[in-house]
Amino acid sequence: MAVGAEVAAGNVDAIYHGGDISYATGDIAVWDFFLDMISPMASGTVYLTTVGNHESDWPNTASFYTGTDSGGECGVMSTKLLTMPYPAVTNEPWWSYDIGLFHIIGMSTEHNFTYRSPQYLWLENDLQSVNRTITPWIVFGGHRPMYINSNYGGSPSSDIAVMNLLIESIEPLLWKYRVNIGVYGHNHAVQRQSAVLNKTVIQAAVEKVDSEGQSVYVHDNPQATVHFIVGTGGAKFTINGLNPPPDWNELTFYQYGYAKATAVNESYLDWKWYNSITGELIDHMVITQDNPDTPWVLPTTTNTNNSNNNGLSTGAVVVISVVSTILGLGIILGIIYYTFYSSKSIILSSNSNTEKFIVQDTASPITVNNV
């Protein structure tokens, strides 16, 4: 197990698992097996979760949706077995937590998040309170995606309906408070979207190449949130994307694996997605930001990026990995690595047999060049 090996190596400060946690759906024995299976990871680091439809949804409960996907658990099992940071409770299971340079927010897409709802008010207050000098990067996590390339529409709980409601209700807060990335699951696929606002591309990633000749997709000071879906944890793939895709959907693929996002300093974030079976690097993306306290401004021309070449800088290294590697349970995990200020940046990569550390001397940063 790639994630377990990384935890055992002592390089993981937290794990984030974004809903559909055990797929027990009312069978307590499955919870027993699942918790035993993750114990090497969860006992070795902080384990953060958000609820999904398979933990929460049930008619006539606090759930926003009336489906029966939780098998009657109604959020009780997941929130009692895996308690989350303040202020999370069973019927209001949202929270925030700081790790290194990241402020991480876990919302519940399974509870009311519409304008002026308790969750909306909490989220706005939380975002207002973030000190971007201490945590310059904000990561927003939830189970159902705010942006998804999917043909599933119609019912209130469908991909398209939930996407539209999240965009209407929550996206204005993400833009106002400059949330850097949104990370979701639910759909059993991997998707990387543009920096997007109200379904309009604010900035598309620009393809460049690094010193090893590999493609890197760069966002230079984007003025909107970049969104990701990492839902390939072992369950059968959900192959229901539109063709051609929406213009804000830059990448969709179907492989089992995980992503790592490294906040090198307050202005440079590195995102890498790995195949958990082979260890192959499948997708590499970079986000830069000039000043996290400066309000975003919409460009007069969208879908362009006049960025310069970028390189890694010295400073604290924080890595958030959204990981999907636990057998066939289709879960989403995230690993957060944190290294205090030192003279070197440590980048962890893995393959199917061994874990290896690549130490990059910060006097010779990795650079990327225009394709």
Side-chain angles (χ1 to χ4, degrees):
M1 186 186 301
V3 180
E6 293 185 356
V7 173
N11 303 293
V12 178
D13 289 311
I15 291 175
Y16 167 70
H17 179 165
D20 286 357
I21 297 166
S22 72
Y23 277 88
T25 59
D27 190 340
I28 195 169
V30 175
W31 274 108
D32 287 341
F33 288 127
F34 174 79
L35 293 173
D36 180 69
M37 183 172 62
I38 67 168
S39 61
M41 294 184 297
S43 64
T45 190
V46 176
Y47 194 88
L48 301 170
T49 66
T50 51
V51 297
N53 51 303
H54 288 289
E55 286 79 51
S56 184
D57 292 7
W58 195 255
N60 302 313
T61 67
S63 174
F64 195 51
Y65 304 105
T66 59
T68 59
D69 291 347
S70 77
E73 290 186 6
C74 308
V76 174
M77 296 300 294
S78 59
T79 58
K80 296 300 183 183
L81 292 171
L82 299 165
T83 56
M84 289 300 103
Y86 179 83
V89 293
T90 295
N91 288 334
E92 296 182 343
W94 43 86
W95 51 265
S96 66
Y97 197 70
D98 290 345
I99 298 287
L101 301 179
F102 282 105
H103 181 74
I104 305 169
I105 297 171
M107 77 162 289
S108 173
T109 59
E110 310 313 301
H111 295 78
N112 190 355
F113 52 79
T114 58
Y115 181 68
R116 304 297 293 178
S117 66
Q119 182 169 203
Y120 176 97
L121 294 174
W122 169 83
L123 176 60
E124 183 171 33
N125 181 70
D126 184 82
L127 288 169
Q128 287 175 341
S129 303
V130 178
N131 185 336
R132 300 302 283 265
T133 301
I134 298 173
T135 52
W137 297 96
I138 300 180
V139 177
F140 176 80
H143 181 60
R144 298 176 191 254
M146 184 175 294
Y147 280 91
I148 180 171
N149 174 13
S150 170
N151 64 10
Y152 174 37
S155 73
S157 61
S158 67
D159 292 343
I160 295 173
V162 174
M163 173 176 65
N164 289 337
L165 190 58
L166 283 165
I167 290 172
E168 175 188 342
S169 303
I170 300 298
E171 186 179 44
L173 293 178
L174 302 193
W175 190 81
K176 179 179 180 180
Y177 295 104
R178 305 173 304 284
V179 173
N180 302 104
I181 63 176
V183 184
Y184 317 95
H186 192 59
N187 189 273
H188 300 169
V190 179
Q191 295 187 14
R192 174 167 52 79
Q193 325 297 15
S194 300
V196 58
L197 179 67
N198 196 26
K199 298 184 181 179
T200 299
V201 175
I202 303 304
Q203 186 187 84
V206 172
E207 184 178 6
K208 303 183 178 185
V209 294
D210 62 17
S211 58
E212 298 179 352
Q214 301 299 312
S215 292
V216 182
Y217 296 86
V218 178
H219 284 285
D220 188 18
N221 198 34
Q223 301 295 288
T225 306
V226 180
H227 298 267
F228 304 88
I229 297 173
V230 185
T232 52
K236 183 179 180 180
F237 298 138
T238 309
I239 304 177
N240 66 344
L242 298 171
N243 189 16
D247 59 358
W248 41 260
N249 174 219
E250 297 191 3
L251 181 68
T252 298
F253 62 90
Y254 305 94
Q255 295 188 40
Y256 298 116
Y258 59 96
K260 301 177 183 176
T262 306
V264 178
N265 57 26
E266 69 279 0
S267 61
Y268 193 103
L269 185 148
D270 187 72
W271 175 279
K272 294 179 178 178
W273 196 97
Y274 291 95
N275 182 300
S276 60
I277 300 172
T278 66
E280 181 184 0
L281 175 62
I282 304 300
D283 184 46
H284 185 187
M285 190 273 305
V286 163
I287 301 176
T288 69
Q289 63 177 349
D290 292 343
N291 183 346
D293 286 317
T294 301
W296 280 344
V297 177
L298 293 180
T300 55
T301 302
T302 60
N303 203 22
T304 60
N305 185 336
N306 298 318
S307 59
N308 297 318
N309 296 340
N310 298 288
L312 288 175
S313 304
T314 60
V317 177
V318 182
V319 179
I320 295 185
S321 306
V322 180
V323 183
S324 344
T325 55
I326 303 280
L327 299 181
L329 296 177
I331 72 169
I332 303 171
L333 300 179
I335 301 178
I336 300 165
Y337 303 88
Y338 182 61
T339 302
F340 289 100
Y341 284 88
S342 64
S343 60
K344 294 181 182 297
S345 297
I346 300 176
I347 305 168
L348 179 65
S349 66
S350 63
N351 56 42
S352 59
N353 298 314
T354 61
E355 305 296 327
K356 63 180 180 180
F357 292 92
I358 302 172
V359 180
Q360 171 77 25
D361 192 318
T362 53
S364 304
I366 296 174
T367 59
V368 294
N369 305 297
N370 288 322
V371 172

